[in-house]
Amino acid sequence: MAVVFEPTKGLLDVPTHYCPGCTHGIIHRLVAESLEELGVIDKTIGVAPVGCSVLAYNYFACDMHEAAHGRAPAVATGIKRSLPDSVVFTYQGDGDLAAIGTAEIVHAAARGEKITTIFVNNCIYGMTGGQMAPTTLPGQVTETSPYGRDVKLQGHPIRVSEMLSTLDGAVYVERVSVDSVANVLKAKKAIKKAFELQIEGKGFTFVEVLSICPTNWGLSPRESIKWLQDNMIPYYPLGVKKDITQQEVK
Amino acid sequence: MAKRVSLSGNEAVAFGMKQINPDVVAAFPITPSTEVPQYFSQFVANGQVDTEFVPVESEHSAMSACLGAAAAGGRVMTATASAGLALMWEMLYVGASMRTPLVLAVTNRALSGPINIHNDHSDTMGARDSGWIQLYSESAQEAYDNLIQAVRIGEHKDVQLPVMVCYDGFITSHAVENLEMLEDADVKNFVGENRIAPYALLGKEPMSMGPLDLPNHYFEHKRLQAEAMKNAKNVILEVAAEYEKLSGRKYSFFEEYKMEDAEAAIVVINSTAGTAKYVVDNLRAQGKKVGLIKIRVFRPFPAEEIAKALKNVKAVAIMDKLDGFSASGGPLFNEVRSAMYGVADGKIVTSYIYGLGGRDVTSVNIEKVYSDLFSAIETGKYEVYNYLGVRE
């Protein structure tokens, strides 16, 4: 019988702790497949965040470093500067990256650190149990915004990809989603490209992945996907925000 | 052959770093430490070192990047002071528990608030329980010597801990003194060309660094960390003996100055020891039996050795250049007094808080401490908790 689909060598053969319906598993696989296809698993170091993916070091088949909350881009900076021939990525959620770690991500991007950041945005603090995040949409109900986020009181969501795309050190910034087969394939392409550009030594690469949190959104996985499509994509439009290789072509 | 040079403390430390030639330096400027990374960045720009210099956005990120670089097997150094050290706080504990040797030069400066840029020890003394080795320095010479020894101490296979080298802000960091620098080649030989990390990312075996460590292993992890700190005591002495052969300068856990027959002694840290030695000399000339202990190694704390050194005094004043706000004396006082229990009992032991926020400490102040001690010996009457040189 022909083999049509196999586990990726970039992930260990272990169960994950993620909630049913969570899209972290898909995103892990896309990162792992990219590393496998590029043949760099053995020279890759991933930096795990604090948040739902805190245990990511248990799943990826490369060497991993667990960073303190928000500090993954700074830790990754040190690792890459110490081992310039390695491939270094951070895998961070929106609480880790867009709240407590805002300074780290902005300055790692501004310095053009030759690392790749996979930013998983699900508009909520997942691991702590569904509190409002900087990425929480206006009107979105969370544990700490029970009547919906009021932008007059709690400010506006941060569009991280757009913000980072203004920095010259960032060479590739794209927002993708894993809500459909077509979008999963696009996400894979973006993640692989981000790693390719890192390997070519171009500079800082960043892929934001819109993700769902059925548990804390209080929706089924199917409803969650629809909520992402109806609410998140309009606020966080998909697509390439910056790509210096395209600018070079132009 | 060693070179005689005139340098400020910060210059001495920066030149020491140049001779050590670390793999990565990630730093953020703060008064009065700023010059260290600034001078060092000039060595980087001139190609005089092979270091990756990362001018990060904060001290928190400086320490984060240093930890990442050390986890990747690099030899790593940085510098800071005061609020910068406070911003590193979270990562100080992470670095010690991850057993990542790296060297941090701290110019001691008062910790806000009120905001103050001058010297006291509230910054590093607050970090005394972070799991870092702490070496203190009276002079630029000692800061330089401690810096070079710190590399060997922290990287020793039985230790694998980060080391803070502390010296007084402005007083030592900015004053120019004559000191002796080792030859570049001697420093290179002494520290070894590269750090030999027993474990590192992308090493021989698959590796995860810093993972979650819950009740089933955290305690054992901490126990090993405590053992490493104990091991550091022997290693500090071994490294000091080797360094003495190279430099002719002798180092131990602390310096005993005219302690042989001393009846009244002062225990002090950093530059104030210089002033106190001057006072000791003057009082000795008057026939008074006074002595001084200057702490070099505060972590690991040489409890037994200090107690032994104080065994024959009648009275000792322990001076803290910070207020621990414990309402029962400063941390040096409490640790020394506790160390004396059962070994050097029945002594008069007093606490002096002095020099906060850069308040000048003159020989007159130190003379008063000795005079208080002799008065206590003669009359049996004394205050345990004292403030020196403050308006009340």
Side-chain angles (χ1 to χ4, degrees), chain A residues 19-240:
Chain A
C19 299
C22 174
T23 38
H24 263 309
I26 297 172
I27 303 163
H28 276 34
R29 170 145 189 133
L30 300 182
V31 171
E33 278 180 359
S34 301
L35 297 175
E36 184 185 6
E37 289 167 19
L38 293 167
V40 294
I41 294 172
D42 290 342
K43 57 184 280 194
T44 297
I45 299 162
V47 184
V50 168
C52 287
S53 47
V54 65
L55 300 177
Y57 52 78
N58 284 332
Y59 311 138
F60 285 106
C62 56
D63 276 11
M64 294 289 290
H65 190 302
E66 158 59 25
H69 208 182
R71 317 310 174 195
V75 171
T77 296
I79 292 172
K80 184 77 179 195
R81 296 290 187 118
S82 211
L83 295 169
D85 296 330
S86 61
V87 176
V88 178
F89 74 92
T90 73
Y91 187 103
Q92 303 174 258
D94 43 346
D96 191 80
L97 183 141
I100 195 168
T102 317
E104 278 79 356
I105 192 64
V106 167
H107 287 276
R111 288 192 303 268
E113 296 295 342
K114 295 177 182 64
I115 61 173
T116 298
T117 291
I118 309 299
F119 169 44
V120 180
N121 178 2
N122 60 8
C123 295
I124 206 159
Y125 291 159
M127 189 185 68
T128 50
Q131 295 78 22
M132 188 176 62
T135 45
T136 293
L137 296 176
Q140 185 183 341
V141 172
T142 71
E143 293 291 336
T144 48
S145 56
Y147 300 106
R149 179 178 188 157
D150 180 349
V151 295
K152 288 195 188 112
L153 293 174
Q154 291 137 349
H156 298 267
I158 298 174
R159 292 185 182 91
V160 177
S161 288
E162 283 79 355
M163 180 173 73
L164 295 182
S165 69
T166 66
L167 301 172
D168 291 347
V171 297
Y172 175 64
V173 180
E174 180 164 358
R175 184 183 290 117
V176 297
S177 172
V178 287
D179 62 290
S180 65
V181 173
N183 276 343
V184 167
L185 294 174
K186 281 186 196 164
K188 165 71 183 298
K189 212 175 140 195
I191 289 169
K192 191 170 174 183
K193 180 168 180 173
F195 279 113
E196 281 169 341
L197 292 175
Q198 180 191 161
I199 292 163
E200 289 166 19
K202 298 280 190 203
F204 178 79
T205 58
F206 185 87
V207 180
E208 175 177 345
V209 188
L210 300 186
S211 183
I212 61 169
C213 185
T215 300
N216 289 305
W217 291 356
L219 301 172
S220 71
R222 187 187 294 269
E223 290 165 343
S224 296
I225 291 289
K226 185 159 179 2
W227 193 88
L228 181 157
Q229 291 165 338
D230 292 348
N231 298 283
M232 286 178 73
I233 293 178
Y235 203 93
Y236 296 117
L238 305 181
V240 176

